[in-house]
């Protein structure tokens, strides 16, 4: 598996476990504060895994204490409006949200500010019991800038998102589960294993169908029902030209396990 851009390797670690690509944020001394080299490395690794035909699902994780405590405040405290608006940082969260392959955030400990936004840019979240989510930017004189106001509101609804964004109050893992922010909450000892289990399940599915199903689900957040249904139908029809559709349906009829090839 190729490495992130030169000079960035120490801020992240990457590893392929069969069809699952694992990206670990690696600035533990600052609770994985998301500085430029880290986010550059993250996007490089994500793009490598996205291109690799052998990879079917990607996990982004941190460590037990912190997924990420936000963008690196020490990198932006002196920035002017003109400087921050030219900053390429934001596009990196967008890139995660646009990954063609499914991305799971395995979150333990702090997922705050840009860290919470990074988890929200992923498709699913497996959380440990110690995970806490929050958008504390208001406490330091700003507001969420990498998707928090939009993605949180789509998941939580206006009132709960508003309270989190305006007070900076955190949400526990259990609250996040009740609110539909995370897929599951598991003991801290097993959150990464559980994320890997889910990733392997998804990676075993036919890749073209996974890709199109992901695209269709994401579209549901952006377009009206008719447009979403029209897209769904087009993608559904297009899968009938894949070998995996023939194999999947034949295997069902022949009462055997399918062997998907990604074709
Ligand atoms: N940035 C830099 N360093 C951080 C950090 C952060 N976000 N969070 C923690 N650290 C560092 C601390 O400075 C400390 O470093 P040393 O002092 O040891 O050198 C070390 O990590 C351990 O932190 P604490 O000593 O504070 O640990 P505690 O357990 O006492 O507290 C905490 C943990 C998570 C409650 C606390 O560290 C904290 O409140 N952290 C800041 C959380 C925060 O405000 N996050 C939001 C940051 S703003 C953009 C779009 C979006 C963004 C940026 C750009 N563009 C459109 C360009 C996003 C902005 C944000 O995320």
């Amino acid at each position: 598996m190729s490495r992130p851009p030169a000079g960035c390797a120490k801020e992240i670690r990457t590893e392929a476990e069969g069809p699952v690509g694992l990206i670990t944020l690696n600035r533990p001394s600052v609770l994985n504060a998301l500085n430029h080299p880290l986010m550059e490395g993250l996007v490089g690794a994500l793009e490598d895994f996205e291109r690799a035909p052998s990879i079917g699902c990607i996990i982004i994780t941190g460590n037990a204490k912190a997924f990420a405590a936000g963008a690196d405040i020490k990198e932006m405290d002196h920035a002017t409006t003109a400087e921050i608006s030219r900053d390429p940082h934001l596009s990196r969260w967008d890139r995660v949200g646009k990954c063609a392959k499914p991305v799971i955030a395995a979150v333990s400990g702090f997922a705050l500010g840009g860290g919470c936004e990074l988890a929200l840019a992923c498709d699913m979240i497996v959380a440990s019991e110690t995970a806490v989510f929050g958008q504390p930017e208001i406490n330091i004189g700003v507001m969420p800038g990498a998707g928090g106001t939009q993605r949180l509101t789509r998941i939580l609804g206006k009132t709960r998102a508003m309270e989190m964004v305006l007070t900076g109050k955190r949400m526990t893992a259990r609250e996040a589960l009740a609110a539909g922010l995370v897929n599951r909450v598991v003991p801290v000892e097993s959150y990464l294993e559980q994320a890997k289990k889910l990733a392997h399940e998804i990676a075993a599915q036919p890749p073209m169908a996974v890709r199109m199903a992901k695209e269709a689900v994401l579209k549901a957040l952006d377009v009206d029902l008719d447009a979403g249904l029209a897209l769904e139908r087009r993608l559904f029809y297009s899968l009938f030209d894949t070998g995996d559709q023939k194999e999947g349906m034949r295997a069902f009829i022949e009462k055997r396990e399918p062997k998907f090839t990604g074709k």
Side-chain angles (χ1 to χ4, degrees):
M1 176 53 51
S2 57
R3 296 280 155 246
C8 296
K10 72 180 195 319
E11 284 82 12
I12 62 150
R13 285 187 279 117
T14 64
E15 182 190 331
E17 190 182 287
V20 173
L22 178 65
I23 304 173
T24 306
L25 312 180
N26 188 34
R27 296 186 78 208
S29 63
V30 287
L31 305 177
N32 288 332
L34 304 167
N35 65 357
H36 281 256
L38 185 152
M39 288 304 290
E40 227 175 288
L42 170 63
V43 167
L46 187 87
E47 289 177 345
D48 282 349
F49 283 138
E50 192 181 42
R51 271 192 300 268
S54 61
I55 296 295
C57 190
I58 299 164
I59 298 174
I60 300 176
T61 195
N63 55 59
K65 189 165 180 207
F67 177 70
D72 193 322
I73 298 169
K74 292 166 195 163
E75 254 186 5
M76 62 186 163
D77 61 323
H78 281 89
T80 62
T81 294
E83 285 162 354
I84 200 84
S85 64
R86 284 196 301 268
D87 196 305
H89 224 24
L90 179 62
S91 65
R92 296 172 183 140
W93 277 260
D94 290 346
R95 185 65 188 83
V96 173
K98 289 189 182 352
C99 183
K101 291 179 180 171
V103 184
I104 300 172
V107 177
S108 185
F110 299 112
L112 302 178
C116 185
E117 289 166 312
L118 179 60
L120 293 173
C122 298
D123 300 308
M124 287 157 280
I125 302 178
V126 173
S128 90
E129 283 163 346
T130 65
V132 283
F133 299 86
Q135 298 291 158
E137 291 91 339
I138 201 87
N139 299 326
I140 53 171
V142 287
M143 60 177 275
T149 62
Q150 302 306 299
R151 290 201 173 97
L152 256 192
T153 306
R154 281 167 164 76
I155 297 166
L156 301 182
K158 183 184 87 170
T159 51
R160 282 191 286 187
M162 194 69 86
E163 186 172 343
M164 276 183 81
V165 168
L166 298 188
T167 66
K169 269 189 222 149
R170 300 178 199 158
M171 187 179 256
T172 65
R174 293 271 157 219
E175 289 166 343
L177 183 66
L181 191 82
V182 307
N183 292 70
R184 62 199 65 161
V185 177
V186 297
V188 66
E189 300 77 34
S190 65
Y191 75 98
L192 189 53
E193 282 320 304
Q194 291 295 321
K196 284 182 182 177
K197 189 164 171 273
L198 178 59
H200 278 281
E201 271 173 39
I202 293 165
Q205 301 291 8
M208 288 290 281
V210 166
R211 187 181 180 133
M212 296 197 184
K214 167 172 169 163
E215 185 182 336
V217 171
L218 287 180
K219 262 296 180 264
L221 298 171
D222 296 336
V223 300
D224 64 43
L225 185 61
D226 277 349
L229 291 173
L231 174 79
E232 182 190 76
R233 203 151 309 137
R234 276 200 305 279
L235 293 174
F236 175 76
Y237 292 152
S238 74
L239 288 171
F240 282 73
D241 272 346
T242 65
D244 282 345
Q245 173 267 328
K246 299 288 173 290
E247 167 63 8
M249 293 194 178
R250 237 181 350 245
F252 173 80
I253 293 162
E254 292 167 8
K255 299 187 187 301
R256 60 172 174 84
E257 285 300 310
K259 288 197 186 71
F260 295 125
T261 60
K263 302 224 168 86

